[in-house]
Structures are given as C-alpha cells and as structure tokens.
Amino acid sequence: MQEGLSTYRLGYVANCLSLGVGASHTCRLAGATPERLEALIEQNLAELEQILLFNEAHGIELFRIGSSLIPFASHPVNQLPWWRKWARDFDRLGHIARRSRQRLSLHPSPAAASLTSVHQRVRDAALAELRYGARVLELLGQGPEARVVLHLGGAAPSRPEALDNARRMLDTLPEEVRNRIVIEHDDKTWSAREVAPLAREHGLPWLADNLHNLIEPSDPVMPLEELLRESAASWRALDLRPKFHLASQKPDGRPGAHADRIDPRDFQAVVAALDGPADLMLEAKDKDLALFALRQEAATRSQPVPAP
C-alpha cells in the first residue's frame, strides 16, 4: 500500500459472512443461567478467533467486535468473572490481532450507553457497558487507537440540559474508560458540529460518519472535506490514526438505513476527501463481502489500493 494523502485501510463490522460466524451469540435474559452464559462465551471467543485469523489471512487490519461477545457482561445477571476465567483465550486472541496489526473496536447500542440521560440508573448502566468494552480492548492488548464508539443519547428534557448531562458524565468517567471512548455524531439527534466541541472540551476524539452527516446535517452544513478534516484533527491531537465510518443509504430504506454494499460514488468521495492516512470502517450489510467489493473497485479505478 502506498503512503500518501489517500492512504487508507478498510474494515467491517461484527459478522464475517465468508465464514458464517459473528462471535456475538446471546440469549434471552430469562435464560441467562451461568451454564448458558459460559457456553455462549466459549462459542463467541472461538468464533472471534476464526474471524481474526480470517482477517489476518486477507490483510484486513480493521474490525469491530460485536457488543455481545460476552453476553450480558454489563448486566447484573452475569456474575461470571469472565475476564479471569477466559484470560488465556483473550491473550491468544490479542496475540493474533497484534501480530497482524488489527485495530479493534466495539460499539454498544444507543440504548446501552447514553451519556445524556438525567436518570441515574441509565447513567449507571452506561458506565457498566463502557467499562465492559474498555476491559475487552485491554484484555486483547490493544493500543490507545482501539476505542469504544458511542453516541451521545437523546436530547431530553432540552438540548442544553442534555449536553450538560453528557459533560458531567464525561467529567466523572474513570480514566481507564475515558481513554477508550470516541464520540460519534448520529443520524437522528446530534450533528457533527454539536459533537465536535463536546469532544474537544474533554480531550476526546470524535468519529465522522459520511451518511450521518447527510441525514442529520450540521447548521451550517459541514461539507465532507471539512467533516473528515475536523474529525481527523481530533484523532491526531492524541497522536492517533484517524478512523471514520463509511456507509451508503439503502435504496428505499428509512433515512440512515445502511445499504448492502458501499456505493462506489460514496467510496470515491470519501477517499478523495482524505487529508492523510486513515481507517475506514464500512457499515454495510454485506460486511466482509462489501470490503472485498471495494478493494476490487479501487483496483479497477487504479486508486491506491488498501492492503493487501
């Protein structure tokens, strides 16, 4: 891969369709017995090993782990000391990821990790979820570029009050959690121009998403070049390689729904807008197949091709 302004790496989310595994099996809360949880964890860790080895074989250096790798890890129903019981498994998985330079991440659902809620129980649940994600990345021996991606949450009872709630929560996060998060603007409530100052105020990176920027635009509108440039600066301020989300609108889907594949025009626009090396996490239903399609697209157009 050539070094230059348009150097980039591609990654995918959670499920490897080529293998038919996802490392994110879970169960209903009512059925979450210790025995059931142990079986699911062992299955998920085994599948994650398959995925990491697949990524290594295909030169894929960016991957998002499914949030249910350890089912109910942040819920009181799971009392297993999973971080100790499967420590050797995490060591082995981390070795695979590190030797193949795989940058890993997690992304809890908005319902699991809201920063803006006024309700203490919601904030406590969010902290537990963020602790879980940070612990997984630490167990895997990932560097500071590996992050838990989260949205701010809702805007009730008012936008100013919600932002104040987020500020207070960010101020009180334990350092080991704070150093593992990145804030992303979303496609329903918070635009990039609202998220960026909050992240800057707390010394955090923020993650740019091309599709979110179209569905929930900033005021004034933030062009793609500015979006990526400003987001990249927040990563580089921490001496970290920038990471963005790349998605395309699903035809005839609700606004913000991800397409099966990345539209080549979206891909080309993002690559052209890069102002330096970056990682592009593909949010596409076809997962690794969408990644391979983009590699072919890049080769066909004689663009700098992501590794290998």
Side-chain angles (χ1 to χ4, degrees):
M1 179 172 64
Q2 300 177 359
E3 287 295 329
L5 288 184
S6 52
T7 298
Y8 59 93
R9 302 186 300 180
L10 301 179
Y12 66 101
V13 174
N15 299 324
C16 180
L17 299 189
S18 295
L19 296 176
V21 298
S24 200
H25 299 282
T26 188
C27 62
R28 294 181 181 274
L29 181 61
T33 63
E35 296 76 17
R36 179 60 173 150
L37 291 174
E38 285 191 8
L40 290 170
I41 292 169
E42 290 180 357
Q43 181 181 6
N44 287 340
L45 292 177
E47 291 190 2
L48 180 57
E49 182 169 8
Q50 293 179 60
I51 292 171
L52 295 179
L53 289 172
F54 175 89
N55 292 347
E56 180 178 44
H58 292 84
I60 298 170
E61 298 179 351
L62 190 66
F63 180 69
R64 183 195 299 165
I65 300 169
S67 60
S68 293
L69 178 71
I70 308 297
F72 298 104
S74 62
H75 193 283
V77 74
N78 189 341
Q79 294 294 310
L80 297 171
W82 53 269
W83 56 93
R84 290 199 301 267
K85 184 176 179 64
W86 287 278
R88 290 185 178 180
D89 297 84
F90 278 105
D91 284 344
R92 184 176 67 256
L93 295 172
H95 176 70
I96 296 169
R98 291 192 302 276
R99 78 186 181 198
S100 50
R101 302 196 322 152
Q102 294 186 55
R103 179 183 187 176
L104 305 176
S105 61
L106 290 92
H107 193 348
S109 71
S114 170
L115 296 180
T116 59
S117 178
V118 69
H119 302 293
Q120 190 61 46
R121 60 178 178 77
V122 176
R123 298 160 74 83
D124 290 344
L127 177 57
E129 183 69 14
L130 295 177
R131 283 186 185 275
Y132 154 60
R135 173 171 267 171
V136 167
L137 295 176
E138 287 295 325
L139 288 168
L140 292 170
Q142 285 281 291
E145 73 285 347
R147 298 272 163 159
V148 179
V149 183
L150 68 153
H151 298 301
L152 290 186
S158 70
R159 301 182 79 81
E161 289 172 285
L163 283 176
D164 283 343
N165 290 336
R167 288 189 182 95
R168 283 195 296 273
M169 184 154 186
L170 290 172
D171 284 340
T172 58
L173 283 179
E175 186 175 0
E176 68 271 17
V177 173
R178 177 190 181 83
N179 292 339
R180 279 296 184 188
I181 64 173
V182 57
I183 303 174
E184 181 188 6
H185 59 117
D186 61 70
D187 59 355
K188 294 180 177 65
T189 308
W190 301 104
S191 71
R193 289 199 192 277
E194 293 172 301
V195 166
L198 182 67
R200 186 164 52 246
E201 177 184 337
H202 290 83
L204 295 171
W206 64 276
L207 193 150
D209 185 303
N210 68 309
L211 183 57
H212 290 175
N213 196 48
L214 291 174
I215 304 302
E216 183 64 30
S218 292
D219 182 17
V221 169
M222 186 178 283
L224 182 61
E225 292 80 4
E226 181 183 0
L227 177 79
L228 301 188
R229 183 179 67 247
E230 294 300 316
S231 173
S234 73
W235 290 97
R236 293 181 187 133
L238 300 172
D239 199 26
L240 302 175
R241 181 181 173 106
K243 175 184 167 185
F244 311 126
H245 287 174
L246 171 55
S248 293
Q249 173 65 44
K250 179 180 180 180
D252 302 322
R254 63 162 182 79
H258 295 152
D260 292 343
R261 302 277 173 104
I262 303 298
D263 187 317
R265 293 168 295 183
D266 294 328
F267 173 52
Q268 294 154 22
V270 166
V271 170
L274 295 179
D275 68 348
D279 289 339
L280 305 178
M281 180 64 77
L282 309 182
E283 295 196 318
K285 299 298 185 183
D286 278 353
K287 311 294 183 177
D288 55 303
L289 304 182
L291 184 152
F292 294 137
L294 279 195
R295 281 185 176 174
Q296 183 60 44
E297 168 70 19
T300 299
R301 291 183 172 269
S302 300
Q303 293 177 345
V305 180

